[in-house]
Amino acid sequence: MSLDQNFLWGGATAANQCEGGVSEGGRGPSNIDFAPHGEDRLDVLEGRKKMLSREAGYFYPAVEAIDMYHRYMDDIKLFAEMGFKVYRMSISWTRIFPNGDDETPNEEGLKFYENIFKELKKYGIEPLVTIAHFDVPLHLIKEYGAWRNRKMIDFYVRYAETILRRYKGLVKYWLTVNEINIMLHMPFVGGGIVFEENENQKEVMYQAAHHQLVASALATKKAHEIDPNIQVGCMLAGGNAYPYSCRPEDYFEALTQDREGYFFIDVQARGKYPNYALKKFERENIHVVMEEGDDQILADSVVDFISFSYYASRTVSTHPEEAEQTTGNFFGSIKNPYLPASEWGWQIDPMGLRSALNQMYDRYQKPLFIVENGLGAVDVLDENGQIDDEYRIDYIRQHIKALKDAVEIDGVDLLGYTSWGCIDLVSAGSGQMSKRYGFIYVDRDDQGKGTFERSKKKSFYWYKQVIESNGENLSSDQLDY
């Protein structure tokens, strides 16, 4: 096997990290609009309650982000120059329903995305669209408690059906919920959840997760009814866990950690709750209210493909005090002594991507799609105003080699690869601009200063070469940039 000639190469962004224009075009306020830059960004208790409005002394990067709201035509032209076959993006829920429970959608918001999709089609770029990428309307958080409330299912399904019908024929590939397992790690980001004092937080998170799973299944059903050609995927924050030692307890801890994420995909891909999750609820006194008919909804509407993000693997131990801790994509980890790390402490593990691909394909036997992968790094302009980001090229090169091995040697069915943050954008975890992933540099700093001017990095020309050769030419030796 080799990569199919129709393999979907491209890049990925999210509306709340790149659009800006949060008060324009009839858009309503969303949770990430009120997530500041800095250490308070992801606080889920008292600090988060305070930040349901903007306070003096904080910088809120989503307000302008990289101003793609006004610059998307120029950005898409750059994506086309790289040769993108697909562009993964998300729709801002509050551009379509400003409050979330509105009776009618906002036409200006609908038209905005229609224009984007038509611009992409002009260049032969297929949109891959996430319906909910960490976006929860602020009104639904304040009025209903966000995803903890079952009413969210109806609000989400109405939103999903609206855009599925409006963009029929323009969008073939859809994802229902971005990194759905982040609900268990960053519940405000993943579901707009603000905890009350002394409540059972795990129970709240799993109840919210159940509502998302039912909503996802109903949206999948609607999509297939509206257009049988639509392909709907789920989306996992991926990366396998390694046992720190060969102690049997460490091996089982790694299996348990993997199951925590696979739980969501087991439901979305297989159509039922796995036994290990039901036993966990029983064991930990987690009472998830499931209404009559929910089981049938989940069983009737499984996804067509499985997408995931991959940045790093994790290492776990039943004796964590024995080892140094490090960081990752919303996940803590023990430092793996066999792996290098990025500037943010994320362990760099291309072989882990091949392992993840094999594990998921063995588990589900459905097509896979890598929709996020990349290296966050501080990029420095040289005296000629250029960026030689060979470190980024090397990271992505090694991961492309790994995915090719998974396809060509192991026989994994892989639809495509979209590098995360193909243009520099606001970091979801820290709100930083200095944590850059892009092939395109954006003149914007962590405090919102800069011109928004775009410029091509060395990796821009390298990725163009990769796409032109369908992943065969991964060398950067002869690049002229």
Side-chain angles (χ1 to χ4, degrees):
M1 296 180 68
S2 59
L3 295 184
D4 190 278
Q5 288 303 308
N6 295 318
F7 189 80
L8 294 169
W9 295 99
T13 64
N16 65 76
Q17 292 169 258
C18 67
E19 275 184 10
V22 299
S23 300
E24 298 186 56
R27 183 187 181 279
S30 183
N31 56 334
I32 306 300
D33 299 354
F34 301 92
H37 165 266
E39 61 184 16
D40 290 327
R41 181 173 177 82
L42 300 178
D43 184 15
V44 296
L45 290 171
E46 292 304 318
R48 181 52 51 208
K49 292 179 185 179
K50 289 189 297 184
M51 289 167 196
L52 289 178
S53 60
R54 295 191 191 100
E55 295 188 351
Y58 288 103
F59 171 60
Y60 295 89
V63 174
E64 290 186 293
I66 63 166
D67 194 35
M68 192 179 277
Y69 183 74
H70 297 105
R71 301 165 188 262
Y72 70 86
M73 293 181 72
D74 291 337
D75 292 338
I76 290 172
K77 187 175 181 180
L78 288 167
F79 301 158
E81 186 180 341
M82 272 188 282
F84 279 18
K85 309 297 183 186
V86 64
Y87 171 49
R88 184 197 169 205
M89 54 173 283
S90 71
I91 291 177
S92 171
W93 188 338
T94 55
R95 285 205 191 281
I96 311 304
F97 288 96
N99 296 299
D101 61 356
D102 313 77
E103 289 297 321
T104 57
N106 170 35
E107 175 58 30
E108 194 170 351
L110 287 168
K111 185 65 176 175
F112 171 70
Y113 291 109
E114 181 179 328
N115 291 340
I116 289 179
F117 299 144
K118 287 180 176 178
E119 190 70 13
L120 288 166
K121 292 290 189 179
K122 184 174 85 175
Y123 293 102
I125 301 173
E126 194 73 50
L128 167 61
V129 181
T130 310
I131 296 173
H133 190 129
F134 297 158
D135 275 326
V136 182
L138 186 63
H139 174 72
L140 298 186
I141 297 173
K142 290 184 172 182
E143 187 69 22
Y144 302 95
W147 281 103
R148 67 165 68 219
N149 192 321
R150 190 175 176 93
K151 291 181 179 179
M152 285 290 288
I153 297 174
D154 291 336
F155 299 143
Y156 174 90
V157 172
R158 177 165 55 182
Y159 159 53
E161 182 175 5
T162 298
I163 57 178
L164 287 163
R165 290 192 184 281
R166 178 62 174 255
Y167 305 128
K168 179 181 178 180
L170 286 174
V171 180
K172 177 181 178 182
Y173 298 101
W174 294 88
L175 304 178
T176 54
V177 180
N178 178 69
E179 291 187 329
I180 191 168
N181 52 319
I182 292 300
M183 175 70 78
L184 303 182
H185 301 273
M186 294 294 172
F188 184 79
V189 171
I193 301 299
V194 178
F195 293 120
E196 302 300 329
E197 295 294 335
N198 301 318
E199 68 178 333
N200 184 337
Q201 293 188 9
K202 279 192 177 180
E203 186 168 282
V204 172
M205 289 188 286
Y206 276 106
Q207 185 67 64
H210 178 71
H211 294 153
Q212 284 193 339
L213 290 166
V214 172
S216 173
L218 289 169
T220 302
K221 183 173 186 290
K222 288 285 185 186
H224 292 149
E225 290 171 351
I226 290 166
D227 184 354
N229 294 315
I230 285 176
Q231 296 286 298
V232 182
C234 53
M235 203 291 203
L236 169 77
N240 294 349
Y242 298 141
Y244 184 66
S245 77
C246 55
R247 278 191 293 250
E249 295 83 4
D250 283 1
Y251 174 82
F252 195 80
E253 179 64 19
L255 184 153
T256 301
Q257 289 290 320
D258 284 344
R259 278 176 164 177
E260 185 180 84
Y262 286 144
F263 150 71
F264 294 89
I265 312 305
D266 284 350
V267 177
Q268 291 176 292
R270 293 171 167 170
K272 62 182 293 186
Y273 273 72
N275 286 343
Y276 65 79
L278 298 175
K279 295 301 287 186
K280 174 185 175 71
F281 295 166
E282 183 182 301
R283 188 171 60 251
E284 298 184 17
N285 198 32
I286 297 170
H287 303 283
V288 176
V289 177
M290 304 181 190
E291 293 194 359
E292 186 177 353
D294 284 358
D295 287 349
Q296 197 62 48
I297 290 169
L298 296 174
D300 288 346
S301 300
V302 297
V303 294
D304 303 304
F305 66 93
I306 293 155
S307 75
F308 66 102
S309 61
Y310 180 86
Y311 297 96
S313 58
R314 289 169 288 141
T315 304
V316 299
S317 172
T318 52
H319 296 76
E321 71 282 354
E322 293 179 351
E324 183 181 349
Q325 298 292 309
T326 187
T327 55
N329 181 25
F330 292 114
F331 303 99
S333 173
I334 287 172
K335 188 173 182 179
N336 188 325
Y338 300 101
L339 296 175
S342 74
E343 294 172 74
W344 274 264
W346 297 22
Q347 305 263 263
I348 299 173
D349 182 13
M351 188 68 184
L353 175 58
R354 182 178 176 184
S355 298
L357 284 162
N358 274 277
Q359 192 174 89
M360 278 188 276
Y361 193 60
D362 288 349
R363 191 180 186 100
Y364 301 116
Q365 291 294 297
K366 286 180 179 283
L368 305 180
F369 205 137
I370 302 166
V371 295
E372 289 185 27
N373 172 246
L375 177 69
V378 175
D379 294 330
V380 179
L381 293 162
D382 65 19
E383 64 275 9
N384 298 314
Q386 296 179 322
I387 294 173
D388 182 355
D389 56 341
E390 185 65 36
Y391 42 86
R392 178 169 295 108
I393 291 171
D394 186 60
Y395 174 97
I396 298 176
R397 177 194 293 120
Q398 295 304 319
H399 286 78
I400 289 176
K401 286 180 179 177
L403 73 85
K404 288 182 66 181
D405 285 346
V407 173
E408 296 171 3
I409 299 173
D410 307 326
V412 170
D413 184 358
L414 185 62
L415 296 173
Y417 171 89
T418 57
S419 176
W420 175 249
C422 48
I423 181 170
D424 290 346
L425 40 62
V426 175
S427 167
S430 64
Q432 293 173 288
M433 276 297 300
S434 57
K435 187 181 183 182
R436 298 177 183 273
Y437 287 85
F439 306 120
I440 301 164
Y441 183 85
V442 178
D443 181 26
R444 184 80 164 163
D445 69 14
D446 287 346
Q447 297 304 318
K449 298 175 182 176
T451 64
F452 292 115
E453 183 180 351
R454 275 64 163 155
S455 55
K456 303 168 190 176
K457 305 177 189 178
K458 181 179 181 180
S459 57
F460 179 101
Y461 301 95
W462 174 80
Y463 196 50
K464 179 180 180 180
Q465 170 186 283
V466 170
I467 297 173
E468 285 175 346
S469 67
N470 198 32
E472 292 301 311
N473 187 354
L474 302 179
S475 172
S476 57
D477 293 341
Q478 304 300 320
L479 282 178
D480 183 17
Y481 73 103

